[in-house]
Amino acid sequence: MFLSVDVSLELLFVTRNRHKFEEAFNILLPMGIKLKQAPIERIEVQSEDLSEIALIGAKNAVEVLKRPLVVEDAGLFIKSLNGFPGPYSSYVYKTIGVDGILKLMENVNDRSAYFKSAVAFCSPDGKCRVFVGEVHGEIAFEARGSGGFGFDPIFIPYESDGLTFAEMSISEKSLLSHRARAFREFGRWFIVEMK
Ligand code: IMP
């Protein structure tokens, strides 16, 4: 049986990452919010704080696009590496990648880590809000799975029976991901706000 949802709210998601877009689209659609991708370059400031990075990105993007929108910033925080790569995850992925992280983690017993997502909403009337989500788990000993993106092949959420994010479907990942938690929080607020 299919539940029909009245999709009446439209919103831009400023991202060039099609995986992020697909995940967020599938999370918000059942809540009645239809995302449209705005694949423009977003301003990414240097900061330790994902919420600040996302918020400044959203404030800049709303000045250009003049429409309500969301920007997301996410990162992987590894305990034994003192939170590295954290806010530098995108750069670290592009430079040393999954193999580089596995090398840094060779012979490391404490493999605990978490992903964090910060979703910043801004509207042209100057209203802005940030929503965050986290998922905790462990860094695998080797890369597994072909789904997803980024560090998905080496992240095993505690709630997943040992599967990496890359071994899950999008909908399985979205039952527990950092992104799903942040976007669902946002969605619940946005629906009330738009009434
Ligand atoms: P940003 O939010 O675009 O700055 O992305 C930060 C980086 O963190 C990405 O390039 C990915 O390598 C990684 N990342 C963020 N979210 C995820 C995820 O859901 N799975 C795997 N890697 C992620």
Side-chain angles (χ1 to χ4, degrees), residues 90 114 153:
S90 168
Y114 65 95

Side-chain angles (χ1 to χ4, degrees), residues 12-27 35-42 44 70-75 89-91 93-94 115-117 147-153 170 173 178-179 183:
L12 295 179
F13 181 11
V14 179
T15 182
R16 290 187 153 177
N17 182 328
R18 69 175 176 85
H19 298 280
K20 276 188 177 191
F21 179 75
E22 207 178 333
E23 286 181 23
F25 182 89
N26 286 319
I27 292 156
L35 280 183
K36 286 195 153 188
Q37 187 173 7
I40 62 163
E41 192 73 60
R42 71 171 165 107
E44 207 166 324
V70 282
V71 164
E72 190 228 23
D73 202 71
S89 295
S90 168
Y91 180 71
Y93 180 74
K94 279 187 231 146
F115 270 118
K116 182 170 178 177
S117 159
F149 70 102
F151 296 111
D152 277 348
I170 288 195
K173 179 179 173 185
H178 51 310
R179 180 160 302 106
F183 269 101

